[in-house]
Amino acid sequence: MKLYSDAALAKILDQDIFHQISRVADEMGVECYVVGGYVRDIFLERPSDDIDVVVVGSGIAVAEALKRRLGRRAHLSVFRNFGTAQVKVASRFAPHGSQIEVEFVGARRESYSHDSRKPIVEDGTLEDDQNRRDFTINAMAICLNRERFGQLVDPFNGIADLEDGIIATPLDPEVTFSDDPLRMMRCIRFATQLNFQIEDETFEALVRMADRIRIVSGERIEVELNKIMMAPHPSIGFELLQRSGLLNIILPELAALDIVEKRDNRAHKNNFYHTLEVLENVCSAENSPLSSQLYLRWAALLHDVGKTKSKRWEPGVGWTFHNHNLIGAKMVPQIFRRLKLPMGAEMKYVQKLVELHMRPQVIADNEVTDSAVRRLINDAGDDIDDLMTLCEADITSKNEAKKRFYLENFRIVREKLTDLKEKDYKRLLQPVIDGNEIMELFHLKPSREVGILKQYLKDAVLDNRVENEREPLMQLLMAKASDMGLT
């Protein structure tokens, strides 16, 4: 980590947009500062095009003056109800031809009531504005006025916390989290994204104030959860959510997996930490573009969520989790609905992967047959590669011989998948005689009988009992229809 001098900071800010803001602020006689995440990211050496500017005065007035100065190359949006304005600056003022967004707001102080996270807002000083920030690393400001251009204002020593990798609140953390409980989620999100430690006093406040998260809307929690999920190592965040008690409120089905029961000297594994290991395996899947897919990560997080309900002790056998995949798949819509996650194709995708995640392992337990692989392809469809990535990530056994056995069999499954794909498996797996033709042949309307005949032909193709050709399928169809009394 580098400690920048005022001169070095001024050089970093040596983009035309900052000098344009500086001139406008000086002409209007107001103090103006870059604040928040943009300042933090300067010291972290992370790129950022979203700039927050605090004006000790009217942020809207400065934004309007900047728009007049920049002319057609800038677009102004004013949100008077919130006292903010946004200026989008076209490429002439932006690095590398991108677009910069500058948010302007007047310095303010805030106060909260206990049952709401909506503050009472009043005009304030820069000090007031920095006091209301969530974390010390987000409370730093850099002056844009010409006489102090590039000067860092850091009343809570956020630069030291950046150097030490610490997340801490500027003021009493219990008050900070009580005022706006979403900050508890942001605390864990920043710790996850930056791989920082949460200061002890701040974490203890998280634990004490966890129940306050109940007043935060599901939509806001979803945003933070997804940011945690897309971090390089999301397991950090979910472990912190569990340790703080937040997970038991937000996602109790996952928190419930954090238990080990022992009977007759036989214990099952901790399925919560197994889940985090699977999630990390998915994120680091070698040469897999799938590892960055948000909902594949959600599938990994929820793949064993049905184990709490399915857990049984069977004398002579031990702990079992029969049908946990089916139970978990039924739980997915409830979880998505509560967390305000999308209920369309994304939910169905996660539900499918949770339901099917045991299938490749069942195949790998035995001889890998063409018939089993064909059925797997039929059920997984276009998501087969995602399913295989999840299933390989699910092999977390510490028994190296067992692990090698499953991974080798999964390799064979993948080879067979590749062979079938090269043969246009979709065409091969759908019988050439469809439901419409069956209804026409036997003068049937849509009915149970039509479904039975369709499935009979499909099973014959999937099991490779006949070629997917008209003549052999017609012979099977006529024989089955005769058995059913349809001819």
Side-chain angles (χ1 to χ4, degrees):
M1 187 71 62
K2 297 179 181 177
L3 273 172
Y4 290 101
S5 65
D6 289 352
L9 281 172
K11 186 175 181 181
I12 290 168
L13 293 173
D14 194 19
Q15 297 179 41
D16 192 73
I17 183 61
F18 291 116
H19 292 285
Q20 297 288 349
I21 296 170
S22 178
R23 293 186 188 105
V24 168
D26 283 346
E27 287 171 3
M28 298 179 69
V30 295
E31 294 178 38
C32 198
Y33 300 86
V34 184
V35 296
Y38 191 87
V39 178
R40 178 196 68 229
D41 287 342
I42 285 175
F43 293 104
L44 291 175
E45 300 180 342
R46 300 199 311 177
S48 177
D49 288 337
D50 295 330
I51 301 167
D52 291 323
V53 171
V54 162
V55 177
V56 183
S58 172
I60 292 175
V62 172
E64 290 172 336
L66 180 66
K67 161 62 181 171
R68 289 192 296 272
R69 187 179 192 90
L70 299 181
R72 290 181 301 169
R73 292 186 179 275
H75 174 77
L76 172 68
S77 301
V78 176
F79 310 97
R80 295 195 185 278
N81 287 345
F82 299 97
T84 66
Q86 180 190 74
V87 177
K88 291 184 178 180
V89 186
S91 59
R92 185 164 69 92
F93 298 104
H96 314 301
S98 61
Q99 187 179 63
I100 285 178
E101 296 181 3
V102 187
E103 294 274 353
F104 290 87
V105 66
R108 57 193 182 183
R109 60 173 176 262
E110 297 175 345
S111 58
Y112 292 79
S113 62
H114 183 74
D115 59 351
S116 173
R117 60 176 299 270
K118 294 181 179 179
I120 299 169
V121 179
E122 302 172 280
D123 291 341
T125 63
L126 175 66
E127 181 182 2
D128 291 328
D129 202 89
Q130 289 178 298
N131 285 344
R132 73 180 183 83
R133 299 280 163 176
D134 50 7
F135 307 110
T136 61
I137 61 173
N138 295 334
M140 297 181 288
I142 297 174
C143 187
L144 292 181
N145 296 94
R146 183 173 60 85
E147 289 188 1
R148 297 168 53 211
F149 189 85
Q151 184 180 103
L152 177 66
V153 183
D154 183 17
F156 305 108
N157 213 8
I159 192 69
D161 286 344
L162 276 179
E163 287 185 307
D164 295 337
I166 296 293
I167 304 293
T169 58
L171 304 176
D172 181 344
E174 191 163 313
V175 174
T176 297
F177 295 147
S178 180
D179 283 350
D180 184 355
L182 185 66
R183 289 168 176 166
M184 294 188 286
M185 295 294 298
R186 286 170 55 83
C187 179
I188 289 175
R189 189 248 293 181
F190 283 123
T192 307
Q193 289 178 325
L194 302 177
N195 197 18
F196 278 19
Q197 297 293 313
I198 300 175
E199 177 207 37
D200 288 346
E201 184 181 352
T202 301
F203 188 81
E204 289 164 7
L206 273 179
V207 175
R208 291 193 300 272
M209 304 304 297
D211 200 61
R212 285 281 285 162
I213 200 68
R214 296 183 191 277
I215 73 167
V216 180
S217 69
E219 290 84 356
R220 289 180 175 273
I221 290 173
E222 177 215 357
V223 169
E224 295 300 325
L225 279 177
N226 283 339
K227 288 180 179 180
I228 290 170
M229 189 70 86
M230 291 307 293
H233 297 286
S235 65
I236 295 172
F238 285 98
E239 183 177 15
L240 289 170
L241 287 169
Q242 176 70 341
R243 286 175 48 212
S244 66
L246 286 165
L247 193 66
N248 193 50
I249 299 170
I250 296 166
L251 192 45
E253 300 90 342
L254 182 63
L257 296 176
D258 189 9
I259 188 172
V260 175
E261 288 193 62
K262 189 174 182 179
R263 190 177 294 189
D264 294 348
N265 292 320
R266 299 182 70 172
H268 61 77
K269 64 187 173 187
N270 185 307
N271 286 302
F272 175 75
Y273 286 97
H274 161 74
T275 293
L276 297 190
E277 191 173 352
V278 174
L279 178 59
E280 286 297 312
N281 287 345
V282 162
C283 295
S284 62
E286 289 185 359
N287 303 318
S288 174
L290 302 172
S291 61
S292 63
Q293 289 185 2
L294 172 61
Y295 292 101
L296 177 58
R297 295 184 180 201
W298 270 107
L301 190 74
L302 300 180
H303 81 284
D304 274 350
V305 77
K307 280 191 170 180
T308 302
K309 292 184 177 181
S310 65
K311 183 168 66 175
R312 299 289 184 273
W313 170 259
E314 296 184 10
V317 177
W319 294 104
T320 64
F321 302 91
H322 297 312
N323 296 322
H324 74 273
N325 54 316
L326 301 178
I327 294 170
K330 290 180 180 179
M331 295 167 67
V332 168
Q334 305 163 20
I335 292 170
F336 266 55
R337 189 174 292 109
R338 189 179 70 247
L339 295 178
K340 308 301 181 183
L341 288 159
M343 294 298 295
E346 297 89 345
M347 184 278 290
K348 291 177 181 177
Y349 165 89
V350 172
Q351 187 176 37
K352 179 200 288 187
L353 263 59
V354 171
E355 180 176 343
L356 295 179
H357 81 270
M358 294 298 294
R359 284 276 294 281
Q361 185 170 331
V362 171
I363 294 173
D365 270 332
N366 305 292
E367 181 184 354
V368 182
T369 65
D370 286 350
S371 174
V373 174
R374 281 170 176 261
R375 287 184 173 277
L376 182 63
I377 291 176
N378 178 72
D379 292 341
D382 292 335
D383 300 319
I384 186 66
D385 288 328
D386 308 49
L387 177 63
M388 291 304 300
T389 297
L390 173 58
C391 293
E392 288 164 348
D394 197 17
I395 305 302
T396 63
S397 173
K398 301 301 182 283
N399 183 324
E400 289 301 320
K402 184 177 180 181
K403 193 172 183 177
R404 283 195 302 271
F405 168 79
Y406 278 114
L407 291 177
E408 173 60 20
N409 275 15
F410 281 154
R411 185 189 63 78
I412 296 171
V413 172
R414 280 197 180 271
E415 285 181 357
K416 288 184 179 290
L417 289 171
T418 301
D419 290 343
L420 284 168
K421 284 181 181 180
E422 289 175 355
K423 295 175 183 175
D424 187 7
Y425 70 87
K426 284 186 178 179
R427 178 180 59 80
L428 290 173
L429 298 183
Q430 294 301 322
V432 296
I433 299 174
D434 63 14
N436 290 328
E437 187 170 358
I438 290 172
M439 287 189 286
E440 186 177 335
L441 279 170
F442 302 109
H443 308 291
L444 296 171
K445 293 182 178 180
S447 60
R448 178 174 173 271
E449 287 78 10
V450 175
I452 290 172
L453 291 172
K454 282 176 61 180
Q455 190 62 47
Y456 182 73
L457 295 184
K458 191 165 193 175
D459 288 343
V461 171
L462 290 173
D463 292 337
N464 208 23
R465 287 188 276 121
V466 294
E467 292 295 322
N468 190 9
E469 296 174 358
R470 186 173 187 76
E471 184 175 342
L473 282 175
M474 187 61 75
Q475 291 177 5
L476 279 180
L477 176 62
M478 299 308 275
K480 180 66 174 176
S482 178
D483 290 344
M484 295 171 62
L486 298 175
T487 60

